[in-house]
Amino acid sequence: MKHITTLITLALVLGSLVPLSAQKNMTAKERRAQTRQERKIAQQKENERLHNEAVKALESNDFVLEANHLIFKRGRSVSVSSSRNFISMANKKATVQVSFDTPRPLQNGLGGFTVEGNVSDVKMKKDKNGGIIYSFLVQGVSISAYVNLSLSPGSNNVSATIVPSFNSNNLTMNGNLIPQEKARVFEGFKR
């Protein structure tokens, strides 16, 4: 009788442990799925915050586009350093800097050119997909160009096309738009 009682107790204990281990595995999967979902929601909230910050920077005409990718006239593209390739606007002045990783210092001492000019004809509108189109004309001693920025909906990703007035050497800069005070750019010599 003692052996039967022990066997029944052992069977009950083992029988109750199997569902517990299956439940632990389920909760681990659910936890991973929930963690992924929480990360996705947190990323969406962060992207939305960055988008709202970028829109406010555009509205106040005080922003920096830190470009990490350049596309030239015939479609050739190159990845570049965002700290040395940018478009900035502050106090009705715009600065455009392009810098390549070359051993030659070129105009600005960084392997590219840096130009500054006065801003006019600023326009901002929202497209049907929720993106922002922001355009302006910049004129200075070394630059006369029309700049058209396109801010993606729900993020701070932006594409800027620079169309010079005197030639057809268009340049497109892709990167992130941030407020001027958060910029991490290094400006070369201006021409």
Side-chain angles (χ1 to χ4, degrees), residues 104-191:
R104 297 180 5 207
L106 295 177
Q107 284 185 7
N108 64 358
L110 298 173
F113 62 88
T114 304
V115 291
E116 183 179 64
N118 294 321
V119 174
S120 63
D121 199 23
V122 176
K123 296 177 185 169
M124 184 172 164
K125 67 178 181 176
K126 197 171 200 171
D127 67 7
K128 63 181 177 180
N129 296 328
I132 305 280
I133 307 295
Y134 184 90
S135 58
F136 60 93
L137 180 67
V138 58
Q139 292 182 324
V141 175
S142 300
I143 187 172
S144 177
Y146 188 71
V147 180
N148 189 15
L149 288 96
S150 178
L151 179 65
S152 301
S155 74
N156 68 338
N157 295 333
V158 69
S159 177
T161 304
I162 303 167
V163 182
S165 300
F166 302 118
N167 58 41
S168 62
N169 293 331
N170 297 353
L171 175 69
T172 301
M173 302 174 90
N174 296 326
N176 297 319
L177 192 122
I178 57 174
Q180 189 78 262
E181 66 268 4
K182 292 187 177 183
R184 297 165 286 137
V185 295
F186 180 75
E187 194 172 302
F189 302 116
K190 294 178 187 169
R191 299 283 175 189

Side-chain angles (χ1 to χ4, degrees), residues 15-165:
S16 65
L17 289 178
V18 172
L20 284 176
S21 65
Q23 185 180 6
K24 284 183 182 178
N25 287 340
M26 281 291 282
T27 57
K29 286 181 182 178
E30 288 174 355
R31 258 187 267 138
R32 281 194 302 271
Q34 186 177 13
T35 303
R36 265 185 257 130
Q37 189 175 13
E38 287 173 355
R39 281 192 305 244
K40 188 176 180 180
I41 291 170
Q43 184 64 43
Q44 287 174 344
K45 286 181 181 178
E46 178 65 13
N47 286 344
E48 193 62 35
R49 184 189 67 77
L50 290 171
H51 178 76
N52 292 337
E53 195 174 76
V55 170
K56 287 178 185 173
L58 286 174
E59 288 172 345
S60 66
N61 299 322
D62 193 29
F63 63 87
V64 175
L65 159 61
E66 292 183 345
N68 51 27
H69 199 79
L70 301 177
I71 302 171
F72 300 98
K73 178 182 176 180
R74 295 195 184 355
R76 192 177 131 243
S77 65
V78 63
S79 294
V80 292
S81 168
S82 62
S83 64
R84 297 187 309 175
N85 294 274
F86 62 90
I87 298 172
S88 70
M89 182 189 289
N91 302 325
K92 290 292 188 180
K93 293 250 186 221
T95 303
V96 177
Q97 177 171 296
V98 177
S99 179
F100 309 102
D101 292 327
T102 64
R104 297 180 5 207
L106 295 177
Q107 284 185 7
N108 64 358
L110 298 173
F113 62 88
T114 304
V115 291
E116 183 179 64
N118 294 321
V119 174
S120 63
D121 199 23
V122 176
K123 296 177 185 169
M124 184 172 164
K125 67 178 181 176
K126 197 171 200 171
D127 67 7
K128 63 181 177 180
N129 296 328
I132 305 280
I133 307 295
Y134 184 90
S135 58
F136 60 93
L137 180 67
V138 58
Q139 292 182 324
V141 175
S142 300
I143 187 172
S144 177
Y146 188 71
V147 180
N148 189 15
L149 288 96
S150 178
L151 179 65
S152 301
S155 74
N156 68 338
N157 295 333
V158 69
S159 177
T161 304
I162 303 167
V163 182
S165 300

